[in-house]
Amino acid sequence: MTMTIEAADKTFEAYDPVLRDTETLEVNLGPQHPSTHGVFRMNVKLEGETVLSLKPVMGYLHRNHEQIAENMSYLGSMPYTDRLDYFNSMSNNFAYALAVEKLAAIEVPERARYIRVIMAELTRLVNHVSVIGFLLNDLGAFFTPVLYAFREREKILDIFEEVAGSRMMCNYFRFGGVKRDFPAGVLDRIRKIVGVFPKFLEEFEGLLTQNEILCLRCQRVGVLPYDLAVSASITGPMARASGVNYDIRKIDGYSIYNRFKFRVPLGTVGDVYDRYMIRVLEMHESLKILEQALKEIPEGPVLNPKFSALAKAPRNFKPPKGEAYGRVEAPKGELGFYLVSDGTPQPWRYHVRAPSFINLTVLEDLCIGHKVADAVIILGSIDIVLGEVDH
Amino acid sequence: MEERFPGIQVQIVNQGLVLKPGDLIRVAEFLKESEEFKLNYLSLITGVDYLEHLESVYHLYSIDLRTGPVVLKVRVPRDNARIPSLVSVFRGAEFQEREAYDMMGIVYEGHPDLRRIFMWEGFEGFPLRKDYIPEDDDVLEWEDVEWLERHNVKVPEDLKEHARRLKEAGKEARAQKPTEKEV
């Protein structure tokens, strides 16, 4: 029997009261669930498969990062910042170094600034490819896209290993510069990666952007309106997908970002698909910044000579009394460190503004009314790392 | 400032405006709505323990005008730390206020769901206050005591006693545990 759409709608309406009569079910998604990207729990109330309410429960990885840092020398917590967002240790280092440099008014040599920007942008590439890979994982394309993404990620991690000595826990930045200069040949290898990366993006996008399943599952799912994004302090690609024109690289122009030409991609709808698309476009912009930085990078020292002895005696470093807030545009959003110094070798207060923690504020608003399977990809598109959420 | 808000008391410390708790919401609302400032983005809330008082620090930025930060500070006594919640003005305050409550014990009045966020329910104390003593701060095991004494370190008698008790409790527990044969 064929049925017009209106007729089908009417039949559906007739059944609607019966559909509503289902029992509410309370389900705990996580903490041990592959879709939660770590130990994170979503306390979900369901009617059928529709989400009625969702309460995020976190803290399983809480280790009181802030208190540990308050009992250590300033330099001592630099390696510990790596463990916040373990995908992007370089940008964590960057934010912490900026905050301390602001507190103690430390100058950074020119070459070190370029090295910092190159490392931060490489980190952004690493983060965004992996996030997109994992998002596809959540959609059910089990691990093939992740492996495509990880193939490229490995190349960049090799660079990190050669430069910093470690693939993920880089601990590369120092107050007043970076730990050591690039070894010979690394710049050429970065140039090569930057040259090849667009080809990979083309391949990746060719498989995904127009993909029918991806479009169906992601478009108009988890829409974050502009006003809510602003009022809920959402930052990073998630805010820009909702059209919030806020990129700290542009606004603060910290380090030397004001010298580079790049655009800030903005979304119009604010759904999961926009968040995916913004990340792809941001990778293109990161490549532009990298190209410019690699062209202009000067020779010279990489560490402010006044602070090169600091590594051997970190407890001699006593910033003047005061407070400072240093923030960067980390791949996940605004990452900042708020430091209060009392003139001793330890910070009196050390506070992390973790972007993925604050971006979780709107998780419930995004998920209500969607199916459970959509809640999983909405969480994936927010892009959380539990090391940072729970700090 | 004083013209707009009659009876307000403002102090400027380290480029921050120190406000009375009662004035916080109307000042924040004004800064958010006014055309002049448009500080519509609450970047972070930090609780700080200054021993003589607790402080809640707010960093406000403007997304439209690209200005900021304006730093607001509210000081409250340690034993009666109550600050009105900003959730009605900025949704982004929700989790951050829960964090400050969890770590510092600042009660944000009017918060829709003020629970601990990182620590578990029923946890006592506020870990980031300066007078907080971690539970395992002074626990030594008997092996540690032996090691320290071998290296000529004097171990206080009460710590030694505690370690001895732990050791004996362990022995007892092992003795009570049924052997495989019994099972």
Side-chain angles (χ1 to χ4, degrees), chain A residues 333-346:
Chain A
E334 175 186 335
L335 174 69
F337 286 85
Y338 177 72
L339 299 170
V340 177
S341 162
D342 60 344
T344 58
Q346 290 133 325

Side-chain angles (χ1 to χ4, degrees), chain A residues 66-289:
Chain A
E66 294 173 5
Q67 193 183 51
I68 294 170
E70 280 165 20
N71 291 324
M72 253 199 273
S73 65
Y74 280 84
L75 191 60
S77 42
M78 180 65 87
Y80 206 44
T81 60
D82 292 341
R83 275 82 178 164
L84 277 173
D85 175 356
Y86 42 79
F87 266 89
N88 316 312
S89 52
M90 290 285 193
S91 11
N92 302 345
N93 287 180
F94 202 166
Y96 183 52
L98 272 186
V100 175
E101 279 156 15
K102 215 168 166 184
L103 192 65
I106 303 175
E107 279 292 311
V108 182
E110 198 69 351
R111 185 176 170 83
R113 293 181 179 205
Y114 275 90
I115 291 179
R116 285 176 169 196
V117 167
I118 291 171
M119 285 301 153
E121 292 308 313
L122 284 176
T123 312
R124 200 178 310 277
L125 293 179
V126 167
N127 181 70
H128 285 359
V129 283
S130 347
V131 170
I132 295 173
F134 280 119
L135 179 66
L136 268 288
N137 222 6
D138 292 341
L139 277 170
F142 199 66
F143 256 98
T144 312
V146 175
L147 290 178
Y148 271 73
F150 272 31
R151 191 184 61 197
E152 297 309 307
R153 177 175 172 258
E154 280 308 304
K155 289 180 194 163
I156 297 174
L157 290 192
D158 284 347
I159 299 277
F160 287 173
E161 186 174 15
E162 201 167 332
V163 170
S166 175
R167 281 154 43 84
M168 286 173 81
M169 302 297 135
C170 298
N171 182 19
Y172 182 53
F173 287 42
R174 290 289 175 270
F175 310 139
V178 292
K179 190 162 64 176
R180 64 170 83 91
D181 203 351
F182 282 152
V186 164
L187 269 178
D188 286 328
R189 289 194 22 224
I190 300 176
R191 280 192 190 105
K192 212 169 144 195
I193 289 176
V194 172
V196 185
F197 210 87
K199 219 181 259 175
F200 157 75
L201 275 183
E202 207 176 291
E203 181 196 15
F204 208 53
E205 266 199 276
L207 288 168
L208 299 177
T209 303
Q210 301 290 331
N211 186 308
E212 203 175 323
I213 302 173
L214 186 92
C215 292
L216 278 173
R217 286 293 306 280
C218 296
Q219 283 174 352
R220 288 185 296 283
V221 169
V223 178
L224 175 65
Y226 179 93
D227 291 338
L228 181 60
V230 172
S231 115
S233 311
I234 307 298
T235 45
M238 205 178 153
R240 291 193 284 277
S242 300
V244 182
N245 187 358
Y246 202 72
D247 188 320
I248 296 163
R249 290 174 293 174
K250 281 273 186 208
I251 285 165
D252 286 7
Y254 61 90
S255 197
I256 48 167
Y257 272 110
N258 46 13
R259 293 185 201 171
F260 302 119
K261 272 191 189 133
F262 64 100
R263 290 178 302 169
V264 181
L266 293 179
T268 46
V269 188
D271 53 5
V272 174
Y273 188 79
D274 269 8
R275 274 168 234 150
Y276 153 76
M277 210 57 223
I278 291 287
R279 294 201 170 100
V280 172
L281 294 173
E282 270 189 13
M283 279 196 270
H284 285 292
E285 299 304 318
S286 284
L287 288 171
K288 273 188 209 163
I289 297 174

Side-chain angles (χ1 to χ4, degrees), chain B residues 96-175:
Chain B
Q96 301 193 60
E97 285 184 348
R98 274 179 73 185
E99 187 192 352
Y101 164 69
D102 192 356
M103 294 295 142
M104 286 286 176
I106 301 172
V107 177
Y108 291 93
E109 285 174 325
H111 189 286
D113 184 22
L114 194 66
R115 287 178 291 135
R116 289 190 175 273
I117 191 161
F118 291 138
M119 311 306 286
W120 55 94
E121 281 168 45
F123 179 83
E124 277 177 24
F126 302 106
L128 276 179
R129 285 198 183 186
K130 293 290 175 187
D131 55 1
Y132 177 78
I133 300 164
E135 217 170 83
D136 52 357
D137 201 30
D138 52 354
V139 174
L140 283 178
E141 289 188 11
W142 186 248
E143 282 77 11
D144 302 330
V145 174
E146 280 177 348
W147 187 89
L148 285 170
E149 284 186 340
R150 265 209 306 283
H151 288 78
N152 297 324
V153 180
K154 243 188 163 184
V155 184
E157 223 22 69
D158 53 331
L159 290 185
K160 236 164 128 179
E161 182 55 36
H162 190 76
R164 197 176 291 124
R165 256 189 288 133
L166 275 180
K167 187 186 164 198
E168 269 154 25
K171 254 187 195 168
E172 234 169 70
R174 249 173 281 145

